[in-house]
Amino acid sequence: MPKGYWVAHVDVDDMEIYKSYIAANAAPFAEYGARFLVRGGGRETREGQARARTVVIEFPSYEAALACYDSPGYQAAKALRDPVSTGDLVIIQGYDG
C-alpha cells in the first residue's frame, strides 16, 4: 500500500499565533502516524515561485493522510492557522514503483 504525503507551501503572517497551530496539530498528526520529512529549513528556489515555508509530511498510507486532514482534531488546528497564513496543500499518493 503506497504511503500518503502532504506537501504544503505556506506564507506565515504571524509566527507567534502560528505556533499555536503547530502545538494543536501534534495530536492529530500522532494519531494518524504522520512524520515530518521537511519542515521549513534552508532551500533555494531554482524554478518558478515558492512561498516562504515548505512542509512535507509522510503518512503510513494515502487513506491516513486524507483521514488526518478531515479529522476534527486537524480541522480545529487548521482553524488556528487560517487567519495568520496563506498556503497551498496537496495530499498525494506515494509512488510504490
Side-chain angles (χ1 to χ4, degrees):
M1 171 180 350
K3 292 182 179 186
Y5 297 87
W6 288 14
V7 180
H9 302 281
V10 183
D11 290 329
V12 177
D13 300 322
D14 186 328
M15 186 51 82
E16 289 307 309
I17 294 175
Y18 191 82
K19 287 177 183 176
S20 65
Y21 159 72
I22 292 171
N25 70 30
F29 284 167
E31 179 181 348
Y32 290 93
R35 183 172 77 100
F36 283 88
L37 302 179
V38 175
R39 193 174 200 172
R43 68 191 183 139
E44 192 172 309
T45 301
R46 294 290 180 110
E47 296 184 25
Q49 297 177 337
R51 295 188 183 274
R53 293 175 56 85
T54 298
V55 178
V56 179
I57 306 170
E58 179 182 74
F59 290 83
S61 68
Y62 180 63
E63 292 74 20
L66 294 171
C68 182
Y69 184 85
D70 294 334
S71 71
Y74 183 75
Q75 289 301 308
K78 181 181 176 301
L80 299 171
R81 183 197 76 209
D82 285 344
V84 297
S85 68
T86 304
D88 306 299
L89 172 66
V90 175
I91 300 175
I92 189 166
Q93 189 175 44
Y95 179 66
D96 209 13

